[in-house]
Amino acid sequence: MTAGVGLVSLVLGFIPVFITFIWTYYRCETRAVHKDTVQKVLAIAGPRQLLQVWIAALKEDKDFTLLWAAFCLGISIFNALLSLAAQWLEPCGYSDSVIGTMTAVFVLVGIPAAALCGAILDATRAYRPVLKTLLVLDLIGTGSLLLAARHNFVLALYAAFAFLGGALIASSACLMDTAVELTYPKPPELSTGLLFCGGNTLSIATTYIMLALINSQHGKCLPLNAVFNTKGGFNAPVSFFLFLAFVICCFLILNYRGPYRRLQAELQAVISESSDNESQRGDTKNQEELTRDTSTLQEPLLNFEESSSTC
């Protein structure tokens, strides 16, 4: 039964991924990347000096610091969870093949969810509400996964891995888009690079911390509800650590109030273009009226000249 559930999950996960890749390819193929602003700035200042100025400016941006801290912590937990899922769930009676299928479902559901999130952001530009909603879903998915990490809960674990994968990968994509929106007109590669640089670096420490916590459980299967349920006080350190990490991420994002700088610049450009068009139309209209008035004034003058010549 377990193999059948895993096979069905893989097939159902592969279909939306394939459709998403095809849709994304043909959608992105028609879009051009505008780098005129960056090229103009690079022509004035050198790339090294410009990069130093931009990084210093991002360090002073409190809104970007919130996004950076939340992304680093979230992506490090994501990497640690996928790397150590077998060691964590093995005491609960699940084989490596079953756990590998669960992690595959995690990723396969997350990819189309991220594409769907991108389409929603492209249509609504509601970066803050979507990001905060996804972080709350991350917290719910993490709690569900940690509560389902027990013996003979394979279906609940599959559902929890799928739900958390969809929410977590989508929220990572949404956070990167939000960072690009916040740091405009700086190039998107700068903010995205800083996010992944911090997240991958923190992943090393997080993986070792989670491995140490798994070893401290001494081969026991301890879900989240076992944190304070056993004698001796605190227990289930892995579940507590993962849940606490996502509580911190959720707290950071719920306090995010960053502006929509790219959207504001685009709206300003549209307003300026509209004003220019209106002024051009006004000038054309004034010119037409002036020409009409001139012809109206010239007509009696011509009649007067004709009558004078006749006289």
Side-chain angles (χ1 to χ4, degrees):
M1 179 178 177
T2 302
V5 172
L7 181 60
V8 171
S9 301
L10 283 174
V11 173
L12 294 178
F14 177 76
I15 293 175
V17 171
F18 179 76
I19 296 174
T20 301
F21 280 154
I22 298 299
W23 176 81
T24 304
Y25 174 77
Y26 284 105
R27 182 175 178 84
C28 294
E29 189 180 23
T30 60
R31 293 193 172 189
V33 179
H34 301 284
K35 296 185 178 180
D36 296 339
T37 304
V38 178
Q39 291 176 355
K40 290 178 181 178
V41 175
L42 287 175
I44 300 174
R48 183 176 179 181
Q49 292 81 1
L50 187 62
L51 184 62
Q52 292 175 351
V53 171
W54 278 342
I55 292 177
L58 291 179
K59 287 180 180 178
E60 297 176 358
D61 193 336
K62 294 182 180 179
D63 293 319
F64 181 78
T65 302
L66 286 176
L67 293 180
W68 183 80
F71 184 87
C72 291
L73 186 56
I75 203 70
S76 65
I77 295 298
F78 166 81
N79 291 333
L81 180 62
L82 292 187
S83 300
L84 300 175
Q87 291 89 325
W88 174 46
L89 294 175
E90 185 179 5
C92 298
Y94 301 105
S95 63
D96 291 342
S97 60
V98 173
I99 298 172
T101 307
M102 290 179 182
T103 55
V105 170
F106 182 98
V107 176
L108 289 175
V109 174
I111 294 175
L116 177 62
C117 175
I120 293 174
L121 291 177
D122 192 26
T124 64
R125 309 299 290 270
Y127 295 96
R128 288 196 303 262
V130 173
L131 180 60
K132 294 179 181 181
T133 301
L134 288 173
L135 259 294
V136 173
L137 293 178
D138 285 343
L139 189 61
I140 295 174
T142 304
S144 302
L145 176 63
L146 298 178
L147 290 173
R150 60 184 71 210
H151 295 279
N152 302 321
F153 261 61
V154 62
L155 294 179
L157 272 176
Y158 271 112
F161 265 104
F163 183 85
L164 181 59
L168 184 57
I169 296 179
S171 62
S172 300
C174 181
L175 195 150
M176 286 188 287
D177 285 342
T178 306
V180 171
E181 182 75 20
L182 174 67
T183 58
Y184 186 86
K186 301 177 184 66
E189 295 84 1
L190 178 65
S191 59
T192 305
L194 290 175
L195 291 175
F196 275 103
C197 182
N200 291 332
T201 303
L202 186 60
S203 296
I204 300 173
T206 305
T207 302
Y208 280 106
I209 291 173
M210 185 173 173
L211 181 60
L213 294 176
I214 292 173
N215 294 332
S216 68
Q217 294 185 165
H218 304 292
K220 296 179 182 179
C221 180
L222 299 173
L224 182 62
N225 63 327
V227 173
F228 298 106
N229 284 352
T230 56
K231 296 181 180 180
F234 179 77
N235 224 327
V238 176
S239 297
F240 182 79
F241 171 70
L242 294 176
F243 190 74
L244 179 62
F246 277 101
V247 168
I248 295 173
C249 289
C250 191
F251 174 79
L252 292 173
I253 295 302
L254 290 178
N255 284 280
Y256 173 71
R257 300 289 188 275
Y260 291 177
R261 293 195 175 103
R262 182 173 59 179
L263 180 59
Q264 292 171 356
E266 291 176 356
L267 291 176
Q268 188 63 37
V270 171
I271 293 173
S272 300
E273 183 178 358
S274 178
S275 300
D276 294 339
N277 293 335
E278 288 293 333
S279 62
Q280 290 177 0
R281 283 197 293 268
D283 294 341
T284 304
K285 184 177 180 181
N286 293 335
Q287 185 65 30
E288 292 176 354
E289 292 178 353
L290 180 60
T291 304
R292 186 167 57 252
D293 294 340
T294 303
S295 62
T296 304
L297 292 174
Q298 286 178 347
E299 186 174 353
L301 181 60
L302 292 174
N303 294 334
F304 176 76
E305 290 177 352
E306 290 177 358
S307 62
S308 299
S309 61
T310 303
C311 295

